Amino acid sequence: MTTFMPNRRSLLKGGASVLAGAATLTADQLMGFAKAWAQTAQWKPEAGAKINLLRWKRFVEAEDQAFMNMIQAFTKATGVEVNVSNESYDDIQPKASVAANTGQGLDMVWGLYSLPHLFPEKCTDVTDVANYLGGKYGGWAPSADAYGKSKGKWIGIPVACTGALMNYRISSMEKAGFKEFPKDNAGFLELCKGLNKNGTPAGMAIGHASGDANTWMHWALWSHGGYLVDKNDKVIINSPETLKALEYVKALYGTFIPGTASWNDSSNNKAFLSGQLHCTVNGISVYVTASKENKAIADDMNHAYMPIGPVGKPTELHLPFTMLTFNFTKYPQACKALTAFMLEADQFNPWVAAAQGYLSHFLLAYDANPIWTADPKRTVYRDVAKRTLTPAGLGTLGENAAAAIADFIVVDMFANYCTGREDAKGSIASAERQAKRLYR
């Protein structure tokens, strides 16, 4: 396929202006491109098209504003009314499942992880959109294929990815005896012990926090060589490697700030910004908020990749957001048009810049956005779509893997052991039973 790459000036259009302190681009400012795009786009919205779109609630206010401005520009240029509803991470999947089962209520869902793979037969084939975008913007990160494709066709478009990386207070790390953030699991545990001893503890969610708990606990499992299933989707969670991961996480948990077993996806943000928490796994939203509301904390913060475990290689799981269109929508062309429009450079660059590092990209050309280098504290978030594994681990990202993460199988295994609800053998056995019910 011949690849067309926009020139650097056009690719970065909008990004630099946001970084320079200009306000988020308004719908009117986006209108010139939006009108021209609508006239030439290969997807022509159906007459009278109206789209009901469900997305996750914002963590960065400027991102939400930029997103809604983009939606308004699309509506003005195409005449397609777009109704956007917002739900917490934990409520997206249940509401999307209801729509999939009833065939009504929603046209599009911008959800987490492998959501389209929970009901692939209910998703519109968007291969044409994926090929168009990949051809124009430098191709897709490898993880995009796994998240977007099922049986050789694209059932969703990976729009953006939020990195689950280490957020830490620099002064607290140094007081604990570390000149730089530890690069391996053993060093990270020692840091957490030192932080706890100094009254500046670490803490990560170990309950049903769809983003925070799933990301770091899968990292912990994989970093020790444990996996839920093998490459043939055979359940292999009952292993010595899993046991080592359990013992490691329990040791970490012993150093954590109290209450992490009941945390949701906003709990660590609040604790960090209040000065109670000094190290956690999160997107960059803590830093973005601190930069606006508590500059002392922002100045004392930095970010790092997840440590490397005994397997000797990165084993990160980040938070992809994949846009799906239900195949029962009356307006498939309008939905495809909106999906493609969102990822065009003229609005994607200022949108990502407005998110200030909270959203990264799957399309490789967007590495060039200056948001990633204007502030070195953001740079590690640039590559999360390239670094991430999928919730399937070694296995196939399909309905079973999607159900496993939606059911918190791995999270519950760790939580049950850390909180004393089950011993190590029992917690592994429970996870194994649940997994085998899925992978039959």
Side-chain angles (χ1 to χ4, degrees), residues 113 164 204-209 211-224 226 245-246 249 253 256 260-261 281 306 315 317 408-416 418:
Y113 295 123
M204 282 94 82
I206 67 163
H208 285 190
D212 292 344
N214 269 308
T215 50
W216 86 268
M217 287 187 179
H218 278 82
W219 157 79
L221 177 64
W222 298 336
S223 71
H224 288 84
L246 282 174
V249 169
Y253 179 64
F256 284 178
T260 56
V281 176
M306 299 298 289
T315 53
L317 177 63
F408 294 98
I409 290 177
V410 168
V411 170
D412 285 345
M413 178 184 71
F414 282 108
N416 288 340
C418 288

Side-chain angles (χ1 to χ4, degrees), residues 54-56 92-93 96 108-116 160 319-324:
L54 173 65
R55 68 156 283 179
W56 41 276
I92 291 286
Q93 183 263 317
M108 305 177 73
V109 180
W110 188 19
L112 302 178
Y113 295 123
S114 41
L115 182 67
L319 204 65
F321 299 108
T322 303
M323 183 74 79
L324 69 86

Side-chain angles (χ1 to χ4, degrees), residues 166-373:
M166 290 293 177
N167 290 231
Y168 64 93
R169 293 284 293 270
I170 299 168
S171 62
S172 302
M173 176 192 71
E174 292 175 347
K175 187 178 178 182
F178 290 80
K179 293 182 179 179
E180 63 178 10
F181 199 88
K183 291 182 170 58
D184 59 27
N185 283 17
F188 179 55
L189 176 57
E190 291 306 308
L191 171 62
C192 289
K193 289 178 179 178
L195 291 172
N196 183 51
K197 181 180 178 181
N198 293 336
T200 57
M204 282 94 82
I206 67 163
H208 285 190
S210 296
D212 292 344
N214 269 308
T215 50
W216 86 268
M217 287 187 179
H218 278 82
W219 157 79
L221 177 64
W222 298 336
S223 71
H224 288 84
Y227 289 92
L228 190 65
V229 297
D230 66 13
K231 64 180 182 180
N232 298 312
D233 291 327
K234 177 184 177 183
V235 176
I236 58 168
I237 190 65
N238 194 341
S239 71
E241 292 80 10
T242 298
L243 180 60
K244 290 177 183 176
L246 282 174
E247 297 294 353
Y248 177 76
V249 169
K250 188 167 187 178
L252 283 177
Y253 179 64
T255 73
F256 284 178
I257 189 173
T260 56
S262 61
W263 277 7
N264 61 28
D265 280 301
S266 63
S267 300
N268 62 339
N269 298 56
K270 294 174 182 176
F272 204 110
L273 290 165
S274 68
Q276 301 174 53
L277 182 65
H278 292 248
C279 181
T280 193
V281 176
N282 204 62
I284 204 171
S285 52
V286 174
Y287 178 61
V288 171
T289 303
S291 297
K292 185 168 64 172
E293 299 179 1
N294 194 327
K295 196 169 185 303
I297 288 181
D299 290 345
D300 189 38
M301 278 187 71
N302 208 344
H303 308 97
Y305 293 125
M306 299 298 289
I308 305 297
V311 297
K313 61 183 179 181
T315 53
E316 296 169 3
L317 177 63
H318 299 297
L319 204 65
F321 299 108
T322 303
M323 183 74 79
L324 69 86
T325 296
F326 285 119
N327 60 10
F328 49 79
T329 180
K330 297 177 181 178
Y331 312 113
Q333 293 302 305
C335 293
K336 287 184 177 185
L338 176 57
T339 306
F341 180 78
M342 288 171 58
L343 290 172
E344 294 280 13
D346 289 69
Q347 57 271 335
F348 188 79
N349 271 307
W351 176 28
V352 168
Q356 300 169 72
Y358 186 71
L359 296 181
S360 187
H361 49 276
F362 283 93
L363 288 164
L364 299 179
Y366 292 121
D367 279 356
N369 192 309
I371 191 68
W372 306 118
T373 51

